[in-house]
Amino acid sequence: MAETKMTENSPFKHMVRYAVPLVLASAFQLFYNAADSIIAGRFIGREALAATGIANPIMNLLILSISGLSIGSGVLMSQHYGAGEEGKLKRALSTLLLFGLIFSISVAVIGFILTEKILMWINTPEDIMPMSITYLRIIFLATPFTYFYNALSAALKSVGDSTTPLKFLLFSSILNLVLDIIFIGFLGFGIRCSATTTVIAEAVSALLSFYYIYRHVEILKIRRNDWALDGSMLKTIISYGSITALQQSVQPIGKLMIQSAVNSLGVNVIAAFNAVTRIDDFALTPEQSISHAVTTFTAQNLGAGKEKRIRTGLREGLMLEILYGIFIGLVVFAFKDSVMRLFSSDAESDMVIVEGVKYLSTMSLFYILPGLTNGIQGFMRGMGRMKTTLIATTIQVVLRVIFTFALIAHLGITAISLACAIGWIAMMLFEYPYAFFFLRKRKKKFLQEG
């Protein structure tokens, strides 16, 4: 039984144990996505690589909406788990699954029907339109499996188990990769097979999660009499989830706008930015995982009514973010040249390496800043203050985009790292005073009630 009550014992140890599997899962997903693209490009052709690339933004928005609902429900379930309210915990999970059945099937059907129009709206080239339609339609059919895996993972994480979802993600991703290698690499099947193996992997991960919960996690097992669609809980789930999904969507929209500014600087800078973006993803993912650990810790202890422990958890979560931010900043700064050479090796790529090193020389100094903002974001999510996290993220992204466009003509690729720092600092100037007065108000209320 892997469930963990974060309402007792060391907050620091709880958050480390919770965050590590999330870090591993995210890192593996990044490796897998790269390998999947390589297989499509090498064995099917550049048209397949382009088709999957065109489908990715649509898939990402779909996944963000699903994960947003899951995060919202996860906060609610963590609160009930911390409070020892097993009945409400099961009702929240039941509501999430029943709503998800209707929601995911509707999205799958509507997406399947509108696939061609969606691809036309984003100006998909005619020569890859048939391949893109085939791929995206099959991916839409996987929506119910994607939803149920995310929902069940959220349930497991809400009771402190972040390791089991990692195991299922690893297994399904490896399965997907092996099927791709066999059916595409060796047997020569095309884009339809690439999409189908993804659907199979999603289905396997959802089924494994469902089976594990029913066999091993008694507190999440929903029996026949437990199934119910609770209107008030659904309202809370959608309220939390829709705001979180919108917040997660702000980041990729901002990145798309920044990419348009980068495109004006030529091929070398575009290639360098593509490389350093991947390095940023690997560097910053652990900070996001620590933030998720802070969210679950905060929500469980909020449910248990342990105000002092919530404050302790926030301090130790921020300390963990600071330690990691300093560590990863020093590592990237020390090895920036070597890391860039992993992406480019021939003589013509020297300028790409130079541009990438310029970016990493400044960005590595700022890696501590998103850690500090992520820590507060995780705390606010755990307290149910979703609108606050949305406002803070929007401030950061808007300023990052504005300063990128304002500085890039003068500073080149370095402007992007400076714009990121400005955005993160502005985010902190909003978050930290808000958090201070929020905690002060709660402490005063707690003392009065005590």
Side-chain angles (χ1 to χ4, degrees), residues 352-370:
V352 174
I353 295 172
V354 168
E355 293 293 338
V357 168
K358 264 196 245 178
Y359 174 93
L360 293 175
S361 295
T362 51
M363 181 58 98
S364 59
L365 303 177
F366 302 140
Y367 280 150
I368 193 172
L369 297 178

Side-chain angles (χ1 to χ4, degrees), residues 2-23:
E3 70 180 70
T4 302
K5 275 271 190 183
M6 294 187 176
T7 54
E8 304 292 340
N9 301 320
S10 169
F12 191 84
K13 289 181 180 178
H14 276 312
M15 284 185 276
V16 170
R17 288 172 183 165
Y18 187 93
V20 167
L22 297 181
V23 172

Side-chain angles (χ1 to χ4, degrees), residues 110-144:
I110 294 170
F112 187 91
I113 294 170
L114 296 180
T115 293
E116 187 171 357
K117 288 188 177 180
I118 293 171
L119 291 170
M120 289 172 64
W121 290 337
I122 61 173
N123 299 316
T124 302
E126 286 294 331
D127 54 342
I128 61 169
M129 179 66 85
M131 190 176 286
S132 300
I133 291 172
T134 299
Y135 183 84
L136 193 55
R137 276 184 171 163
I138 296 174
I139 292 299
F140 267 123
L141 294 178
T143 303

Side-chain angles (χ1 to χ4, degrees), residues 76-350:
L76 185 62
M77 286 187 283
S78 291
Q79 291 173 359
H80 291 315
Y81 179 67
E85 298 170 337
E86 183 177 333
K88 289 184 178 180
L89 171 61
K90 290 185 177 182
R91 201 181 318 146
L93 178 56
S94 169
T95 298
L96 180 66
L97 295 177
L98 289 174
F99 169 74
L101 183 65
I102 301 167
F103 172 77
S104 61
I105 291 176
S106 300
V107 170
V109 172
I110 294 170
F112 187 91
I113 294 170
L114 296 180
T115 293
E116 187 171 357
K117 288 188 177 180
I118 293 171
L119 291 170
M120 289 172 64
W121 290 337
I122 61 173
N123 299 316
T124 302
E126 286 294 331
D127 54 342
I128 61 169
M129 179 66 85
M131 190 176 286
S132 300
I133 291 172
T134 299
Y135 183 84
L136 193 55
R137 276 184 171 163
I138 296 174
I139 292 299
F140 267 123
L141 294 178
T143 303
F145 301 123
T146 304
Y147 183 95
F148 279 96
Y149 169 73
N150 277 274
L152 295 170
S153 292
L156 288 167
K157 291 171 186 175
S158 74
V159 298
D161 181 4
S162 60
T163 302
T164 302
L166 165 64
K167 293 176 182 177
F168 297 150
L169 176 64
L170 291 176
F171 179 80
S172 63
S173 296
I174 292 171
L175 174 64
N176 194 350
L177 199 58
V178 170
L179 291 175
D180 277 350
I181 292 171
I182 294 172
F183 289 102
I184 299 172
F186 291 114
L187 300 179
F189 291 117
I191 194 77
R192 184 179 283 106
C193 182
S194 178
T196 302
T197 56
T198 300
V199 175
I200 292 171
E202 292 283 354
V204 168
S205 60
L207 290 172
L208 286 174
S209 300
F210 188 82
Y211 176 80
Y212 178 84
I213 285 174
Y214 263 75
R215 286 297 301 269
H216 302 288
V217 190
E218 184 65 30
I219 197 168
L220 293 176
K221 187 187 293 185
I222 304 174
R223 294 183 171 82
R224 184 177 299 177
N225 295 332
D226 296 324
W227 286 102
L229 188 66
D230 188 301
S232 63
M233 283 190 173
L234 179 60
K235 185 178 179 180
T236 303
I237 287 170
I238 293 176
S239 175
Y240 285 2
S242 59
I243 295 172
T244 305
L246 183 58
Q247 177 196 341
Q248 290 180 304
S249 300
V250 168
Q251 291 283 7
I253 292 170
K255 287 182 179 179
L256 191 62
M257 296 176 72
I258 290 171
Q259 182 68 56
S260 69
V262 172
N263 291 345
S264 66
L265 298 180
V267 175
N268 287 329
V269 177
I270 294 171
F273 185 64
N274 181 41
V276 297
T277 298
R278 293 178 186 276
I279 294 167
D280 283 345
D281 286 341
F282 279 104
L284 300 181
T285 289
E287 294 181 342
Q288 296 163 4
S289 298
I290 294 168
S291 175
H292 290 310
V294 173
T295 296
T296 300
F297 179 90
T298 302
Q300 283 196 15
N301 283 278
L302 178 64
K306 298 191 174 183
E307 291 286 329
K308 290 183 180 179
R309 189 170 169 81
I310 289 173
R311 295 165 185 272
T312 302
L314 174 59
R315 285 196 302 270
E316 297 193 7
L318 287 173
M319 181 57 66
L320 191 55
E321 294 277 20
I322 290 169
L323 291 174
Y324 174 77
I326 294 171
F327 166 75
I328 196 62
L330 291 173
V331 169
V332 173
F333 186 85
F335 297 100
K336 54 186 180 293
D337 189 76
S338 301
V339 171
M340 278 306 302
R341 291 189 184 279
L342 293 174
F343 292 87
S344 303
S345 57
D346 55 66
E348 293 181 357
S349 299
D350 283 349

